Structures are given as structure tokens and as C-alpha cells.
Amino acid sequence: MNKGSDILVAALENEGVERIFGIPGEENLDVVESIRKSSIQLVLTRHEQAAAFMAATYGRLTGKPGVCITTLGPGALNLSTGAAYALLGAMPMVMITGQKGVLSSRQARFQIVDVVASMRPLTKLSRQIVSPNTIPTLVREAFRVAEEERPGPVHLELPEDIAAEECETAALIPPHSLELPIANAEAINRASKLIMNARAPLLMLGAAASRPRSTSDLAQFVLRTKIPYFTTQMGKGTVPGGTELYIGTAALSERDYVHDAIERADLIVTIGHDTVEKPPFIMGEGGPKVVHVGYLPATVEQVYFPQTEVIGDIGPSLRVLADHVAGKIPNAQALLPLREQILSRITARATEDRFTPQRIVHDVRQVIPEDGIVALDNGMYKIWFARNYRTRMANTLLLDNALATMGAGLPSAMVAAMLYPKRRVMAVCGDGGFMMNSQELETAIRLKLNLVVLILEDGAYGMIRWKQSVDRFADFGMTFGNPDFVQYAASYGAHGTRIAEISELVPALENAFSRGGVHLVTVPIDYSENERVLVRELQERFKPTA
């Protein structure tokens, strides 16, 4: 005889699950025992939120749902931020939580909250399992829903008595690949005419263009059309070749240097744009027409209302669209002359002998090879990395511009290091975001990961403090103290290094990568550049002329 937990774990193995991240509780003990006897690795974390971030990032990097597990009540509720992270970021994930028995109530309401209801607004599907016989069906449905467009999190609650219930072996349901239709021929014809007749066309690559299934076709589309492109923050790196056509990344919604090209375009073809991202540009009267190419129809917003849409599997649809327009776009490179000026202004002063964001981004790029992965937490530095850090491969700059939560950088980098042990992986965190999940250093060391964590230390919640200053509020309530990060790293068994001069940064990072293991490198950061570049310099560009 099998137990419900055995059927659950067999169903997960049937889906190809290799790892489960999380912190089980007493309501999961049958599941833990079933995992012990299976081929699946239980990756024990130090906080449930980190487990959710790790599972979501696994889904982001592989296209297959990551899986995390927690107990009931407080453990399950700690997944909430991770669920929202996956929902807004379109990352496939399956969350499994425990619950007290549903066939009897021997502990009354102790620790019981309605987790299924609490997860409904944060997931694509939230269900309680009430019979072992339904487990294969529910697991197959959970993975299908999590993976299909638009990907996201799914929640299953398994009560402890259902997990422990003995039952006959239930037949598993074989997974099948998800095939998406190609865009409608009429829509492709309509988009083709707009592109071929455009006076100054421009491509924009968004978050959904980063799906592992689409990137090779995207690169070919750019190369065949020869139209210059820019990216959103989460669309960086989606075109590995053709970088001579790259014209910048929209780290701000307007007024940045890349917006010189955006404002002169009469047609923007957005590929994989998802309006959960902070707007990369703002549509308005008299602005360019927009062709939306996506897996799903556009979400019409006040700032985004495309005139025509090409909906279907992005890769194959772009192949057909390229067949229609390649070699027939007379003004394909009308905006390309702007490229050199835009990129030179963005990378200006990147080698100054100061702890500026530009210099730190420049130095990180020096030590990270093309296939190396940088995972950003959320803070002021994210804007600088989005603007200045050049990527040549998809999913090599992991940032979150959807929920934009702090605390996700370290767990995300840990998963990248697990999946790609031969590639250089770095987490870049502010001191505020790092401390939100710094306990996962122990997890990284226990897993014997090779990982470098770069902490940018300013003793403040820097982005909010900057906004406070820009909006002319008093400097109040945003500063804090830090531990000695070198000693903090040592207390976990990691290596710690403090940078005193900016010239020490590259050698320290190279040494950390060469030695292997977990390294914490802490560096001060001078955020005075926020005011000089992102406020005064950009405002100067828009002063009315006499």
C-alpha cells in the first residue's frame, strides 16, 4: 500500500522535479519521508520566503516550474511575497503547503488560517487536496497551469491526514509539451505593412522575450530585419548576437538618453512587453504607433495601448514576420546613427577613481564573462545596472522590475549557482536588501556553492532616501547600522573582504571567483551620482530654449 504522500512525490518525479526548496513542518512529515525515499533533493532553506524566491528563479531560468514546500499557517504565509514575485514576474512555480487534518479536528483551530483563500489573489490556481486519488490529476494540472502562458505560481495544500492516508497506487498522468499557435496570418500581414512603411522603426524587447523557448528566434529576427532595438530592464540580454544594433535599455520611463531614439521613432515593435514592468516609455498623443508582439494580447493601460497586435508563440511568429519583411524595410536603420551618442553618454565617467555606481557596474562587467550571471536585489543600483551593464546572453542579468521586492537577490543567485556550477555567478545586493535574507548564506555554504556576493554599503535604504531628497522632504527615517560584513561572513564559514580603494575591487572579485566557495565582498557606494545624472543632467536636456 502507498500513502497519499507517496503518490504526491511520485507525481512530482513524473513531472521531472529534481529539487524541492523549503522548510517542512510536522504537517509535512509524511511528505518528507516520501521525498527521502525518492530521487528528489530536498533543499532546506532558512526562511520560507527564500525558498519561494529560489523556486521562482528556477522556473525563470529553466522554463519548468520550480517547487517549494512549507508547513501550514505561518510557514505558508511566508511564501506570499515569493508568490507575488512569481506572479508579477511570470515565473512558473508550484507551492505545496501542509495543513491540519480535514477528516477530524483534534487540535481545534491551532495555527489554522485559510491559506488556500489567501493564495488565490497571488496565484493562477490555489487548491486543497481532499483525497489521495485526486493527487495525480491535481499535480498534472498544477504544472500545466504554472507553465502555460502567462507562467506563474500555483498552490496546492495537502492536509496531513490525506498525506498519511493509505491507498492503492493511483495512475500517474504523463506530461505533454505545451504547443502554442502561431500568430494569425492577417495580423502578420498588417504588422508587416507597418514595419515596411515605417519612417523610423525601432524594436523593444521586453520581459516575455526572455523565456528560454524564444531567444534564438528573437536574435534571428533582429539580424534579419536590421532594425535597432532597445530593451526593458527584464528584457536585457534577449538577443545574444547583433549587438551592434543595441541602442540602450530603458531604466527610466522617460527623458533618459535612450528616449532620444524612442521619441524620434514613428513605429515601435514591442516584443514580449509585459505591463507589470515599470513603463519603458509612455505612449501619448502624437507619439509613435506600436505593434505588440506577444504570447498574449496586450493589457491596455493609460501609458500603453498598441495599435495592432501579433499574438501567438513569439519565436515561430517572428520567423514568419521576418520572412515577410526581411530586405524590404528601406528605413530599417534610420535611428542607428543615434546609437553611439546614446551609449557613450550612458557609459560616461565609468572609470573614474571613485566608488560611483558607474565604476562599480564597469568593474563587475570586467570580471563576469558573457555567460556569467549577475542576480540583482532591489535598490538604487538596479537602475545603474539596467542602464550601464551590457548583456549578450539571455537571463544573465537577473533583476526584478515587476514586484521589485528586496531580499530576492541572494536566493536567486544561489539557484543560478546550483543550475550552472561552471559559470561565474554573482549576487549584487544593497546592505538593506542583503540583510533581509542574509541567513541563506548558511544554505549556500551547506550546498557547497561557488558564489560571490557583492554588498553595496551605504547604511541606508538608498533608493527611498534618494526619492525623499528629490521630492524635497527632510532626510529622515532611512538610515541604519550594519554588522561588520567581513566578520559576518566568517561567522557562517564564508570568506569576507572589505574594499577600501576602488582599484581593489576587480582583483578582489577575481580572487573570490578563483578560490571558489562563498565570498562576501563589501564596497562603499557614492550615490551622489544619482542627483548629478538622474536628476540634474537629465533635466538639463529638457530645458526650454530661448
Side-chain angles (χ1 to χ4, degrees):
M1 294 290 285
N2 289 285
K3 295 186 296 186
S5 61
D6 295 325
I7 297 173
L8 173 73
V9 172
L12 295 175
E13 288 181 306
N14 185 54
E15 297 290 343
V17 173
E18 298 172 339
R19 299 178 179 91
I20 298 177
F21 306 94
I23 306 176
E26 63 179 284
E27 291 75 23
N28 308 113
L29 289 179
D30 284 292
V31 177
V32 171
E33 176 63 13
S34 297
I35 293 172
R36 186 186 68 82
K37 296 184 293 184
S38 76
S39 62
I40 297 173
Q41 176 190 8
L42 176 62
V43 179
L44 190 69
T45 61
R46 303 305 300 269
H47 196 286
E48 294 89 352
Q49 185 185 92
F53 289 149
M54 294 172 80
T57 303
Y58 179 95
R60 177 180 187 172
L61 290 172
T62 66
K64 300 183 295 185
V67 181
C68 56
I69 187 170
T70 74
T71 187
L72 81 174
L77 292 175
N78 277 344
L79 295 178
S80 298
T81 303
Y85 176 75
L87 183 69
L88 270 65
M91 306 175 199
M93 174 171 73
V94 173
M95 301 176 290
I96 299 168
T97 63
Q99 188 54 276
K100 297 294 184 186
V102 291
L103 303 180
S104 65
S105 184
R106 296 178 61 84
Q107 295 194 35
R109 304 299 297 171
F110 175 64
Q111 284 196 307
I112 293 179
V113 293
D114 191 342
V115 176
V116 173
S118 75
M119 284 292 180
R120 283 197 181 110
L122 302 175
T123 59
K124 297 178 72 178
L125 178 72
S126 182
R127 298 280 297 274
Q128 184 185 70
I129 299 171
V130 295
S131 167
N133 295 322
T134 64
I135 289 175
T137 304
L138 288 175
V139 169
R140 177 80 283 271
E141 177 71 353
F143 276 75
R144 183 188 68 82
V145 171
E147 193 173 343
E148 69 184 1
E149 289 294 332
R150 183 177 179 271
V154 168
H155 168 240
L156 295 177
E157 180 180 83
L158 180 62
E160 61 181 335
D161 51 1
I162 305 301
E165 186 177 332
E166 292 192 348
C167 55
E168 299 293 334
T169 301
L172 302 177
I173 301 172
H176 62 277
S177 57
L178 295 173
E179 304 299 338
L180 298 171
I182 296 177
N184 178 276
E186 189 173 327
I188 287 176
N189 288 334
R190 189 163 53 244
S192 298
K193 290 175 183 175
L194 286 170
I195 293 169
M196 290 186 291
N197 293 329
R199 173 182 48 79
L202 188 61
L203 305 179
M204 187 196 84
L205 311 180
S210 295
R211 307 272 201 274
R213 64 186 294 153
S214 344
T215 51
S216 61
D217 289 315
L218 244 171
Q220 285 302 309
F221 181 78
V222 172
L223 292 171
R224 292 179 69 190
T225 62
K226 297 181 172 57
I227 300 173
Y229 68 92
F230 72 103
T231 75
T232 69
Q233 293 189 38
M234 293 179 74
K236 285 182 75 72
T238 44
V239 175
T243 52
E244 73 280 357
L245 296 168
Y246 170 72
I247 212 164
T249 294
L252 306 175
S253 296
E254 56 187 346
R255 293 193 171 194
D256 207 350
Y257 293 107
V258 72
H259 292 95
D260 283 349
I262 293 169
E263 288 156 13
R264 296 188 196 189
D266 67 328
L267 178 72
I268 298 178
V269 181
T270 65
I271 301 172
H273 182 42
D274 191 328
T275 56
V276 296
E277 282 207 74
K278 193 169 184 178
F281 67 95
I282 296 173
M283 291 184 67
E285 189 176 350
K289 290 184 177 179
V290 171
V291 175
H292 172 90
V293 180
Y295 291 108
L296 298 173
T299 303
V300 174
E301 303 281 358
Q302 183 179 350
V303 296
Y304 186 72
F305 41 90
Q307 282 80 14
T308 191
E309 302 184 65
V310 178
I311 307 304
D313 196 348
I314 286 179
S317 297
L318 287 176
R319 286 202 299 269
V320 176
L321 186 57
D323 288 341
H324 280 63
V325 303
K328 303 174 187 175
I329 314 171
N331 300 315
Q333 300 197 338
L335 295 173
L336 197 57
L338 298 174
R339 177 179 185 268
E340 185 175 344
Q341 182 180 357
I342 291 170
L343 295 183
S344 65
R345 293 304 297 267
I346 287 172
T347 56
R349 301 170 76 164
T351 56
E352 285 189 345
D353 194 23
R354 296 191 294 141
F355 289 105
T356 62
Q358 300 98 309
R359 175 63 188 268
I360 290 170
V361 172
H362 172 272
D363 286 5
V364 169
R365 181 70 278 185
Q366 298 305 301
V367 300
I368 300 292
E370 286 195 357
D371 68 346
I373 296 173
V374 174
L376 299 183
D377 206 275
N378 270 278
M380 194 68 224
Y381 50 88
K382 186 177 78 171
I383 292 176
W384 291 100
F385 270 87
R387 290 174 94 238
N388 293 26
Y389 189 86
R390 293 287 298 278
T391 51
R392 294 174 178 84
M393 290 180 64
N395 292 310
T396 53
L397 183 67
L398 303 181
L399 61 80
D400 167 27
N401 196 35
L403 183 66
T405 177
M406 298 171 72
L410 175 58
S412 294
M414 288 166 60
V415 169
M418 292 174 70
L419 288 172
Y420 308 110
K422 295 183 178 179
R423 291 158 70 171
R424 287 190 172 186
V425 177
M426 177 188 292
V428 178
C429 308
D431 43 7
F434 171 73
M435 289 302 293
M436 288 186 177
N437 271 313
S438 65
Q439 74 283 342
E440 299 306 327
L441 283 177
E442 188 279 325
T443 309
I445 290 164
R446 177 168 23 97
L447 295 173
K448 297 181 171 59
L449 299 182
N450 293 317
L451 177 65
V452 175
V453 183
L454 180 63
I455 301 176
L456 309 180
E457 189 172 4
D458 67 333
Y461 293 112
M463 177 173 277
I464 309 306
R465 193 183 190 193
W466 171 64
K467 296 268 183 141
Q468 194 177 50
S469 172
V470 169
D471 292 342
R472 303 184 188 284
F473 289 106
D475 184 3
F476 173 76
M478 300 298 166
T479 60
F480 47 74
N482 283 315
D484 182 322
F485 285 120
V486 173
Q487 292 187 39
Y488 188 73
S491 72
Y492 283 103
H495 307 282
T497 305
R498 178 173 295 279
I499 304 300
E501 302 289 340
I502 190 63
S503 59
E504 299 172 1
L505 181 56
V506 167
L509 294 176
E510 284 288 357
N511 178 61
F513 280 119
S514 298
R515 289 178 63 183
V518 179
H519 289 258
L520 223 65
V521 179
T522 181
V523 58
I525 186 164
D526 176 6
Y527 274 140
S528 64
E529 289 292 274
N530 297 343
E531 176 72 15
R532 185 187 70 80
V533 176
L534 302 181
V535 179
R536 295 199 308 269
E537 188 176 294
L538 296 185
Q539 283 178 346
E540 194 71 26
R541 300 175 63 232
F542 286 87
K543 277 189 176 178
T545 55

